[in-house]
Amino acid sequence: NLQALLEAEDYQSLGAANGRSGVELAREHLPDLILCDVMMPELDGYGVLAELHQDPVTATIPFIFLTAKADKLALRQGMELGADDYLTKPFTIDEVLKAVTTRLEKRASVDKKYRQKLEDLRGSITFSLPHELRTPLTGILNGSEMLKEMWDELGQDDKLRMVDIVHHSAQRLQRLILNYLLYAELELAAAAPPAAPVLPAPGMNLHALVTAVATQKAHPAQREADLSFDLAEATLLISEDHLRKIVEELLDNAFKFSRAGTAVRVTGTRTDQAYTLAFVDHGIGLTVKQIADIGAYMQFERKLHEQQGSGLGLTIARRLVELYGGKLSIESIPGLQTTVSVTLPMG
């Protein structure tokens, strides 16, 4: 009767006589919506939902329970397993159709948002990667060509200046390529995280590491005078190389998106089980939407501010923090202040 009702409303439907065949049917056809009884032979409705949620391909299919079990305990059990709706018998035709329409519309809305994010990501990659590769390559090619063609005419100072341009462009290109490779590795690691964290190197001095990296990043930008530190010492459950990378990327952003002469502060506070590193700058900041949309290959307001960089560093830092069971959070007042906080477990 239910299948006839749905087909009369121009839906295509498939039916299964028991829970086991229902699971197999769902995996084979990947429907847009599943209506499922609770009491069935071979595998009940709760078992069907549990099995479907174990498979990433079927886990996101909207799922509606249809059942005569109207007590609160049965309803709670279904919702805890991840059911989207719960219709108790007897139900009317209008109730069924409304539930079906609502869930399909919600699924369509989620799919639309996902496709939009995918298009945004594709557009960001299309725009960002060629530009980021072309810019340092242009510096290398132009600088080396000028040296080649005008070597005898250039004075020693001009030669050194051109060599410096070529070297700086090569370093930038190398960093970009390494960041893209690291990002790909981190995405793979996120899909299958390590069973245990990489322990810090014996004798790692947190204060010394952070201040050394910060000073190194500040020097090319001539921002040493803007730096200040307030760091409690601790041993963190993270490798020294990965901690160094996190500090590098977050400070790179802090210097890049704030003006020379404005303060950049690095603080470190500890509790019994966690340590929080905070990076504070007084630059252009981020809106709430920009923070929510942070992802790889995104650089916000590029046409307006024209900073160099693919916007990949923040994503890499967040991925590294998450792989160690930590959390990266951002608080920002556009045009005034941005605070990026990294919380990591302590040894």
Side-chain angles (χ1 to χ4, degrees), residues 52-61:
L52 293 178
H53 274 200
Q54 290 176 4
D55 186 344
V57 178
T58 56
T60 57
I61 299 175

Side-chain angles (χ1 to χ4, degrees), residues 25 46 58 61 77 83-84 133 139 161 204 264 298 334 346:
L25 205 64
Y46 301 132
T58 56
I61 299 175
Q77 184 178 358
D84 296 277
L133 291 175
R161 187 160 49 250
M204 181 178 73
V264 174
M298 285 187 176
M346 292 211 310

Side-chain angles (χ1 to χ4, degrees), residues 2 6 14 33-37 62-66 87 96 99-100:
L2 192 55
L6 291 170
L14 298 165
L33 175 69
I34 294 173
L35 302 168
C36 184
D37 209 337
F63 193 100
I64 299 176
F65 272 127
L66 307 175
L87 293 178
V96 174
V100 168

